[in-house]
Amino acid sequence: MLIREIQEFQKVRKDARAYFCYLLHRNLPNRLPNISIDVVYEGLERIVNELPSLNCAYILDAGGKQISKMIAVKEKYKNYQIEFNQANRTYFYKAVKEKKCILTDPYPSLIGGDIVVSAAMPIFNDRGDLLYVAVIDMPLLEILRFVHKEKGDNWAHNFNRIVYAVFAVALFAICVLLFLDGIKMFFTYTFQNIDIKKMFESTILITLSLALFDLVKTLIFEEVIGEKEEHPFAIHKTMIKFLGSIIIALAIEGLMLVFKFAMIAPDKLIYASILLASVTFLLIGLAYYMKNVGKDIK
């Protein structure tokens, strides 16, 4: 489920960065004369005590080497120290390059291999010389829980999932009933007594059940489970398939009415023609929509 968590992180990234950078700016001195490592260390200690779910915090020098012991509430991190240079790590070079507080993408931690997100802030003296880079690491799962809790949207998120699940179940039940009725109609009137009208109706029912199944599948995977396709066209795919199925069903119905009215009521052929014309306009509209979506993606 890691993909789902990373996708969820992208939604709350802006809020998470705002909060963690606020914490770092509030507790750490910057662009002042004579900033000592002890002052930075004390500031990181306050942050860790305020957020015990953090893995750890630590200080790097201007070259990227860790120059403090780990600051952590969790015992397994307290005595851990990384000796080698970390200048090639994203949290260091990005903070130094941008000269501001940054939040990384999720990555495997050097300590224990957990998937974490790091916030890092460069600390300069009053002359603009880089002194330290302060880093805090937080597990990805904890940052998601924390941000959702702060925003107060956990209950809303769960409520939406339940509502979508109920609608998906109801639509699936309708889908099954349409499919069974279509299959029953097909076998009853095809093998026992051939009836073209019933065959067309059976085809319409099965086509509509297919369209509903695509809709149900999308609701379950995207809104209930939370697994969304990354391709930019994916968000439009379900609607295109659904509308395509509806157009097919309406076209079959129009063709059936043409045959019916041609035999028993020629004066009503105009109504079948109107239906087929409407199907044509729907098809043109769908083609125009797909063409413009393709342009936006390019």
Side-chain angles (χ1 to χ4, degrees):
M1 301 298 288
L2 182 59
I3 294 177
R4 175 186 170 187
E5 291 150 3
I6 292 175
Q7 291 172 340
E8 188 67 23
F9 170 74
Q10 296 305 323
K11 297 177 184 178
V12 301
R13 182 191 184 101
K14 184 178 179 181
D15 295 319
R17 180 187 177 279
Y19 180 76
F20 286 112
C21 288
Y22 164 75
L23 278 181
L24 289 168
H25 282 291
R26 188 185 69 181
N27 290 281
L28 301 179
N30 207 353
R31 300 189 181 277
L32 298 174
N34 303 319
I35 300 176
S36 68
I37 189 173
D38 293 332
V39 174
V40 178
Y41 190 91
E42 290 172 2
L44 289 177
E45 275 191 321
R46 288 194 295 271
I47 294 175
V48 170
N49 289 330
E50 185 174 340
L51 291 176
S53 56
L54 287 172
N55 273 7
C56 57
Y58 47 93
I59 305 169
L60 307 177
D61 66 12
K65 184 178 180 180
Q66 184 174 331
I67 55 175
S68 76
K69 67 178 183 179
M70 290 295 184
I71 309 166
V73 173
K74 302 173 183 178
E75 290 294 330
K76 67 177 181 177
Y77 298 120
K78 284 186 176 179
N79 298 319
Y80 199 103
Q81 184 166 355
I82 300 173
E83 299 291 346
F84 59 85
N85 195 293
Q86 299 181 49
N88 64 337
R89 304 294 287 184
T90 303
Y91 47 77
F92 177 80
Y93 69 74
K94 189 175 180 182
V96 172
K97 180 181 179 181
E98 298 185 10
K99 296 183 179 181
K100 64 180 182 180
C101 178
I102 61 96
L103 189 72
T104 69
D105 291 324
Y107 69 95
S109 173
L110 294 172
I111 309 171
D114 297 334
I115 301 299
V116 300
V117 173
S118 294
M121 188 179 83
I123 298 175
F124 301 92
N125 61 18
D126 57 336
R127 297 186 301 274
D129 301 323
L130 178 66
L131 301 177
Y132 318 106
V133 174
V135 185
I136 56 176
D137 293 346
M138 190 167 192
L140 176 60
L141 289 177
E142 292 297 331
I143 200 170
L144 292 177
R145 293 192 190 102
F146 176 79
V147 173
H148 282 309
K149 181 180 178 182
E150 288 296 310
K151 292 173 67 179
D153 59 0
N154 264 341
W155 68 270
H157 179 67
N158 292 331
F159 176 75
N160 284 339
R161 289 177 63 188
I162 292 171
V163 170
Y164 275 115
V166 171
F167 275 99
V169 170
L171 287 172
F172 183 72
I174 296 172
C175 171
V176 171
L177 291 175
L178 286 173
F179 177 77
L180 292 177
D181 196 35
I183 292 294
K184 178 182 176 182
M185 188 180 297
F186 177 79
F187 282 102
T188 301
Y189 293 97
T190 300
F191 294 102
Q192 294 183 7
N193 183 20
I194 295 178
D195 188 328
I196 300 299
K197 178 177 179 296
K198 294 297 182 182
M199 289 176 64
F200 276 127
E201 291 178 354
S202 172
T203 304
I204 292 171
L205 291 177
I206 295 174
T207 303
L208 289 176
S209 69
L210 177 61
L212 281 176
F213 177 76
D214 280 328
L215 182 60
V216 169
K217 183 177 65 174
T218 301
L219 286 176
I220 291 175
F221 278 94
E222 295 191 359
E223 304 298 341
V224 180
I225 299 177
E227 296 181 358
K228 300 181 185 290
E229 292 188 54
E230 290 299 320
H231 194 279
F233 198 73
I235 190 172
H236 308 282
K237 187 173 68 175
T238 298
M239 184 170 69
I240 291 171
K241 291 173 69 176
F242 183 78
L243 288 176
S245 299
I246 297 299
I247 290 172
I248 292 171
L250 289 175
I252 294 172
E253 182 70 22
L255 182 61
M256 184 175 67
L257 288 177
V258 168
F259 291 146
K260 178 180 179 180
F261 291 151
M263 291 185 293
I264 64 172
D267 56 312
K268 294 183 179 179
L269 276 173
I270 184 64
Y271 300 113
S273 301
I274 292 173
L275 178 57
L276 291 175
S278 301
V279 171
T280 302
F281 281 118
L282 280 174
L283 191 58
I284 293 172
L286 182 59
Y288 179 78
Y289 172 78
M290 293 175 67
K291 179 181 178 182
N292 281 274
V293 167
K295 286 182 179 179
D296 292 339
I297 292 171
K298 293 176 183 178

